[in-house]
């Protein structure tokens, strides 16, 4: 590719996903790569204004190249760390994909402190 064909990355372009740097940089709470990958894929699917996304568990597993059980465990960990919230959706007894809301990491996440619930949580 020559210089004329190359383009500078434009993060305002919708072909890119924004991922919280502190989550990717974390070495304290997220101890498995799949946890960061699931978070990144949720970011990829998230609406830029509402920060909500609706990928199914099978879709997340396919995008993350892992099992559905690994995705479920990663989602549980992300939820316990208050990085996401999960709203289970049903209509007329029929299950729909969950709604995932991405949250700004809590202060203790940045400071390397601990969440009261985290210490008793295991995945």
């Amino acid at each position: 590719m020559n210089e004329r064909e190359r383009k500078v990355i434009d993060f305002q372009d919708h072909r890119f996903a924004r991922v919280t740097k502190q989550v990717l940089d974390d070495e304290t709470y997220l101890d498995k790569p799949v946890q960061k990958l699931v978070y990144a894929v949720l970011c990829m699917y998230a609406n830029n204004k509402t920060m909500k996304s609706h990928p199914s568990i099978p879709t997340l597993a396919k995008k993350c190249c892992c099992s559905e059980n690994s995705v479920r465990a990663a989602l549980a960990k992300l939820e316990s760390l208050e990085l996401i919230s999960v709203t289970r959706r049903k209509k007329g007894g029929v299950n729909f994909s969950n709604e995932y809301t991405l949250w700004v990491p809590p202060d203790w996440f940045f400071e390397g402190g601990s969440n009261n619930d985290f210490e008793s949580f295991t995945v």
Side-chain angles (χ1 to χ4, degrees):
M1 191 182 277
N2 67 39
E3 283 295 318
R4 287 185 216 150
E5 294 173 347
R6 295 174 68 185
K7 294 182 180 181
V8 174
I9 293 174
D10 177 6
F11 288 107
Q12 299 300 315
D13 188 333
H14 294 284
R15 293 178 289 174
F16 297 94
R18 291 183 177 187
V19 181
T20 307
K21 181 180 176 183
Q22 288 81 1
V23 172
L24 293 180
D25 196 39
D26 174 69
E27 296 176 356
T28 304
Y29 302 109
L30 299 171
D31 55 354
K32 296 187 173 124
V34 70
Q35 296 161 350
K36 293 181 182 186
L37 189 53
V38 167
Y39 183 83
V41 172
L42 288 175
C43 289
M44 179 182 78
Y45 279 106
N47 176 297
N48 287 334
K49 292 182 183 177
T50 65
M51 295 313 293
K52 294 178 186 290
S53 61
H54 305 93
S56 67
I57 298 287
T59 296
L60 288 169
K62 183 176 180 182
K63 295 294 182 189
C64 295
C65 301
C66 66
S67 71
E68 291 182 16
N69 285 339
S70 293
V71 168
R72 286 185 189 93
L75 290 168
K77 180 76 168 231
L78 293 168
E79 190 172 26
S80 77
L81 292 171
E82 302 171 16
L83 298 172
I84 66 169
S85 60
V86 181
T87 304
R88 281 129 187 104
R89 302 186 309 156
K90 273 189 174 184
K91 189 173 186 179
V94 176
N95 288 331
F96 286 88
S97 61
N98 294 332
E99 178 176 85
Y100 304 98
T101 305
L102 300 164
W103 299 106
V104 172
D107 291 340
W108 57 262
F109 189 87
F110 296 106
E111 297 163 1
S114 68
N115 164 348
N116 294 337
D117 297 330
F118 176 72
E119 293 175 9
S120 63
F121 181 82
T122 56
V123 174

